[in-house]
């Protein structure tokens, strides 16, 4: 089987071959207990290289990984079973059933949050989001909320649960593009604070908290100070109880533009 | 001095020199520095009052910026511009750009849509951006952030519908149409409340059984008759009339299963904008078997007809005739052929019906007829200059071999009753053609080299310049008076969209979506040296 080298040295069977074969079915598909069993195996056998939270280390990152998201069951199963020749990824002697549990875990790391069966209480989470936790001060859902943080109306589909959790508890790990905090000093001394929607050597586009846009030519700018950390407070892990965190995550995970339905149609037509 | 000038401009923009919202009244005024609706104004003239670029200085134009749209293959959107921000679309994608630099401010992607059809652009109203996904959801976005407000399905893909339309905004309504008429569906136009997305009205372009017009169909074809509504519309606020075109009857190339006129396919509809009630219709090609959708742009002007000023609508139809109708009543006033390659009709009679030339219909073995299936013109936008009194129409002189099949039509299976292909020995040729609406006569012609693959439209300006995309992928500027070449720029790509013009911070730009990019042009200026600005990162 032909292999292709992807970002991060992650080897996968070539897509062309894959198209010719029907994908394998994971016997544990949709089973939360298989995800949990896979997680335990992962901690024992895989986390040494891939990191305890699958964030990557000697081996590639598996969390929020486009490569994993784009991989078929067959590709992931084969990779775990056979390992990757010429790399540190060894084959495994684990029975197929156990391998499928690992596939379930890795896939779940990257599944949309909506499908991750979040355990918290979404209703309580909604009250926290729009109330005491203060999330809506910066984030909007269906037009309700602030503008200084990413819109979360479709967060349940556009992000994985793990990603949402990380964003809530360690927001500076991976700040969202277009939401970097910035203060721009103009040549006349005026200061503009907000988020940098774009920045080049020749222009910068800044939005302030009132959603006012400043389209600035660098000729009129004397200094730019970016905030190193995310504008999102770092202390939600302390401000909220464990249950409240789960509730907020459950609420955000339920936010989808469209409730997903299996199937659908494809194709394009010129009209 | 220059720095000071920039600072003043920035301060003006920041201070909200423009109203914070795109008001209906603003769209009513027509284009200014902004370009607020598909054709620039409700009358569909695509004529801008901007005149920084003139016939005298257009030869000093140059590219100002290029924005590459990732994964784009065929952009067909008309960019809209408000308050220095440009809004462009691709399939299931909206991007807001800094209109001076082409830098992205936000983007919205409808990730869950399974279809990937082309898209013709957005509508702006209030502080919202509206657009249609390929699977016919009307989506409302926050204009400043791109945040999703709502996404509502308005047509069912399982019933043969999809969407490419640029929504139309007037009063508190957003009007949309549907595609799918080449494979069987029942066309409609629908209006939604701009704030809530609640449906205000819906009118089908194919009558229901028993309704007037239903007798002009066959049994099966009545349910699946097509009449797509995939192009946006024009609007006369004084009459409260919306003008919307309808597409071909289905199956496209075989009329035997739909004997009759097939109302209201291939027509121009005048609709009450508040209720959707049909005021009148005019059908250009009854019982069409050449796939000549009426999706060419209806242009509204007032002009003398037989010594009396009339409110008219101009329509350079795919079928090769240039029509003038009274837009108050729908009365047929005149039609003149605007292409030489026209074989299917001798002319149009006093009631507006074509006088057919027998034997021009598609046959199982193939019949050469003209214009081609793409029409003498198509959805690519013409423009009208009040200064010259001319309508500028991208025109295709071409014939096709049309084939038909009497096979029992099955809807939603891609069956169109067969099709059309070009005649290898007779390649088509594009012209930029200036027509005089008062007489229907051709005033001037600008032939284009190329392989007859253009789908690009026009924009005309008070500077006396006509901009358009040619059949070789070049942006071209002509003197709108006489068609004299002023300037051109090779974009290196096939052009399948219509240009616009706008102004930001005292500078006029001309922009067009190419196959994979959005490009903006303006007058050459020496570039100031931009010193590197000190950047720091702080906790």
């Amino acid at each position: 089987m032909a292999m292709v080298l992807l970002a991060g040295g992650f080897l996968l069977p070539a897509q062309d071959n894959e198209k010719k074969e029907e994908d394998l079915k994971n016997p544990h598909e949709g089973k939360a207990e298989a995800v949990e069993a896979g997680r335990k195996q992962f901690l024992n056998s895989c986390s040494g290289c891939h990191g305890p939270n699958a964030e990557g280390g000697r081996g590639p990152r598996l969390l929020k990984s486009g490569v994993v998201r784009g991989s078929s069951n067959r590709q992931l199963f084969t990779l775990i079973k056979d390992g990757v020749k010429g790399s540190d990824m060894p084959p495994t002697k684990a029975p197929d059933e156990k391998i499928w549990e690992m596939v379930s875990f890795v896939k779940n790391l990257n599944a949309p949050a909506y499908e991750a069966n979040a355990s918290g209480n979404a209703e309580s989470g909604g009250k926290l989001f729009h109330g005491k936790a203060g999330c809506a001060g910066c984030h909007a859902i269906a037009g309700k909320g602030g503008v200084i943080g990413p819109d979360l109306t479709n967060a349940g589909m556009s992000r994985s649960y793990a990603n949402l959790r990380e964003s809530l508890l360690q927001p500076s790990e991976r700040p969202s593009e277009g939401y970097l905090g910035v203060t721009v000093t103009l040549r006349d001394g005026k200061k503009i604070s907000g988020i940098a929607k774009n920045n080049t050597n020749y222009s910068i586009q800044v939005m302030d908290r009132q959603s006012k846009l400043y389209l600035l030519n660098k000729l009129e700018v004397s200094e730019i100070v970016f905030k190193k950390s995310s504008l999102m407070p770092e202390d939600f892990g302390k401000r909220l109880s464990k249950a409240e965190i789960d509730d907020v995550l459950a609420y955000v995970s339920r936010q989808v533009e469209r409730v997903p339905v299996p199937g659908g149609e494809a194709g394009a037509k010129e009209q | 001095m220059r720095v000071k000038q920039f600072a003043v401009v920035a301060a003006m923009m920041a201070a909200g020199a423009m109203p914070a919202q795109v008001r209906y009244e603003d769209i009513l005024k027509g284009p200014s520095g902004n370009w607020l609706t598909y054709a620039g104004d409700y009358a569909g003239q695509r004529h801008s009052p901007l005149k920084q670029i003139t016939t005298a200085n257009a030869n000093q134009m140059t590219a100002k910026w290029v924005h590459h749209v990732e994964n784009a293959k065929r952009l067909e959107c008309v960019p809209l511009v408000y308050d220095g921000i440009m809004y462009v679309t691709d399939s299931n994608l909206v991007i807001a750009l800094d209109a001076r630099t082409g830098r992205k401010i936000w983007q919205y992607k409808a990730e869950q849509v399974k279809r990937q059809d082309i898209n013709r652009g957005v509508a702006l109203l209030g502080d919202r951006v509206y657009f249609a996904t390929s699977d016919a959801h009307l989506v409302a976005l926050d204009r400043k952030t791109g945040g999703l407000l709502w996404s509502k399905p308005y047509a069912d893909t399982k019933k043969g519908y999809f969407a490419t339309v640029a929504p139309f905004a007037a009063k508190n309504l957003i009007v949309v149409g549907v595609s799918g008429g080449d494979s069987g569906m029942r066309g409609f136009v629908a209006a939604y409340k701009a704030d809530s997305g609640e449906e205000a009205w819906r009118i089908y372009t194919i009558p229901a059984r028993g309704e007037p017009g239903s007798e002009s169909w066959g049994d099966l074809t009545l349910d699946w008759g097509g009449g797509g509504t995939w192009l946006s519309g024009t609007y006369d606020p004084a009459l409260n009339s919306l003008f919307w075109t309808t597409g071909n009857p289905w199956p496209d190339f075989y009329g035997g299963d739909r004997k009759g006129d097939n109302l209201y396919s291939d027509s121009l509809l005048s609709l009450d904008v508040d209720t959707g009630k049909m005021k009148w219709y005019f059908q250009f090609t009854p019982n069409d078997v050449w796939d000549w959708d009426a999706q060419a742009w209806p242009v509204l002007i007032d002009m003398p007809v037989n010594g009396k000023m009339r409110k008219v609508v101009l329509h350079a139809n795919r079928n090769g005739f240039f029509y003038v109708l009274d837009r108050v009543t729908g009365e047929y006033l005149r039609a003149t052929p605007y292409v030489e390659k026209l074989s299917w009709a001798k002319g149009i009679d006093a009631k507006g019906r074509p006088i057919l030339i027998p034997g021009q219909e598609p046959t199982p073995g193939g019949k050469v007829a003209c214009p081609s299936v793409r029409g003498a013109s198509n959805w690519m936008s013409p423009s009208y200059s009040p200064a010259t009194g001319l309508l500028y129409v991208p025109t295709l002189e071409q014939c096709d071999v049309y084939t038909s099949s009497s096979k029992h039509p099955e809807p939603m299976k891609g069956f169109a009753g067969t099709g059309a292909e070009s005649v290898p020995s007779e390649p088509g040729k594009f012209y930029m053609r200036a027509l005089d609406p008062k007489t229907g006569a051709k005033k001037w012609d600008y032939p284009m080299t190329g392989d007859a693959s253009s789908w690009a439209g026009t924009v005309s300006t008070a500077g006396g310049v006509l901009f358009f995309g040619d059949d070789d992928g070049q942006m071209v500027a002509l003197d709108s008076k006489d068609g004299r070449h002023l300037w051109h720029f090779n974009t290196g790509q096939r052009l399948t969209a219509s240009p616009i013009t706008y102004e930001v911070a005292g500078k006029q730009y001309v922009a067009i979506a190419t196959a994979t990019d959005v490009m903006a042009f303006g007058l050459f200026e020496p570039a100031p040296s931009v010193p590197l600005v000190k950047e720091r990162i702080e906790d």
Side-chain angles (χ1 to χ4, degrees), chain B residues 146-399:
Chain B
L148 174 68
L149 301 172
W150 43 259
S151 168
K152 305 212 170 186
Y154 68 88
D156 187 351
T157 52
K158 292 188 189 71
K159 292 182 178 166
Y161 297 111
F162 63 101
T164 60
V165 69
F168 170 90
K171 298 187 175 178
N172 183 35
L173 294 174
I174 305 296
V175 184
V176 288
V178 286
S179 305
D182 291 326
S183 198
M185 54 72 161
R186 186 175 175 224
F188 65 84
V189 185
Y192 295 84
K193 291 184 180 166
D195 48 0
S196 63
E198 182 192 341
E199 186 168 302
W201 54 259
R202 173 179 295 224
I203 178 169
Y204 282 90
T205 60
I206 311 294
R209 284 170 196 275
E211 284 180 358
S214 59
E215 71 288 347
S216 69
W217 291 88
D219 193 40
L220 170 76
T221 51
L222 179 60
D223 296 334
W224 297 94
T229 48
W230 46 271
L231 193 62
S232 201
T234 56
Y235 169 58
D236 183 335
L239 299 175
N240 210 37
S241 297
L242 180 62
F243 299 93
W244 208 278
T245 50
T246 70
N248 61 278
W250 179 82
D252 309 29
F253 301 98
Y254 180 70
D257 286 327
R258 48 178 173 82
K259 288 185 175 139
D261 283 356
N262 311 143
L263 296 173
Y264 301 92
S265 66
D266 287 357
S267 298
L268 177 63
L269 309 181
S270 168
L271 307 175
D272 182 297
V273 79
D274 295 322
T275 63
K277 189 166 174 261
M278 195 193 295
K279 295 182 172 185
W280 55 258
Y281 74 92
F282 181 86
Q283 189 179 45
F284 301 97
T285 317
N287 194 247
D288 171 22
V289 285
W290 302 277
D291 191 15
W292 288 332
D293 302 50
Q295 267 88 357
W297 203 243
V299 180
L300 315 183
I301 68 166
D302 296 350
M303 70 171 199
V305 177
N306 300 327
K308 192 181 154 202
M309 279 304 279
R310 300 283 287 259
K311 291 173 186 285
V312 304
V313 47
L314 310 177
H315 200 259
N317 195 274
R318 274 200 210 181
N319 71 16
F321 289 94
F322 171 39
Y323 292 79
V324 183
L325 309 175
D326 183 308
R327 72 173 179 273
V328 182
T329 61
E331 180 191 348
Y332 166 79
L333 298 175
R334 193 187 62 236
T336 39
Y338 69 101
V339 280
E340 286 166 19
K341 296 199 171 182
L342 200 164
S343 73
W344 71 289
K346 269 187 285 199
I348 306 295
D349 73 14
K351 289 184 174 168
R353 284 186 78 87
I355 305 161
L356 295 175
I357 296 173
Q360 294 296 305
E361 298 80 16
T363 61
K367 169 69 194 168
V368 176
C370 336
S372 76
V373 68
R374 289 200 290 151
S377 193
N378 203 301
W379 58 265
M380 56 281 254
S381 297
S383 54
Y384 172 79
S385 165
T388 62
L390 298 176
L391 183 74
Y392 305 102
V393 183
T395 305
L396 176 61
E397 292 277 6
Q398 189 172 1
C399 306

Side-chain angles (χ1 to χ4, degrees), chain A residues 143 153 198-200 205 207 211-212 214-215 220 223-224 226 228 257-258 263 265 268-271, chain B residues 6 10 14 76 98 100 103-104 108 112 114 116-117 135 137 144 157 164 180 182 534 536 538:
Chain A
T153 312
N198 209 319
N199 178 41
T200 72
Q205 290 75 18
M207 179 178 277
S211 72
K212 192 175 280 181
Y214 296 82
L215 310 176
E220 53 194 311
E223 191 189 43
I224 299 176
F226 288 106
K228 187 179 180 190
E257 179 173 347
R258 305 170 176 202
E265 49 292 304
K269 194 132 191 341
E270 183 58 37
Q271 236 191 38
Chain B
F6 273 116
E76 295 195 359
D98 179 339
R100 283 194 297 178
R103 307 302 305 187
K104 187 194 293 179
Y108 163 82
Q112 288 163 270
K114 299 275 177 11
Q116 296 270 311
D117 300 284
D135 61 352
H137 280 232
K144 289 177 175 163
T157 52
T164 60
D182 291 326
K534 195 166 63 179
R536 283 187 293 122
E538 280 184 1

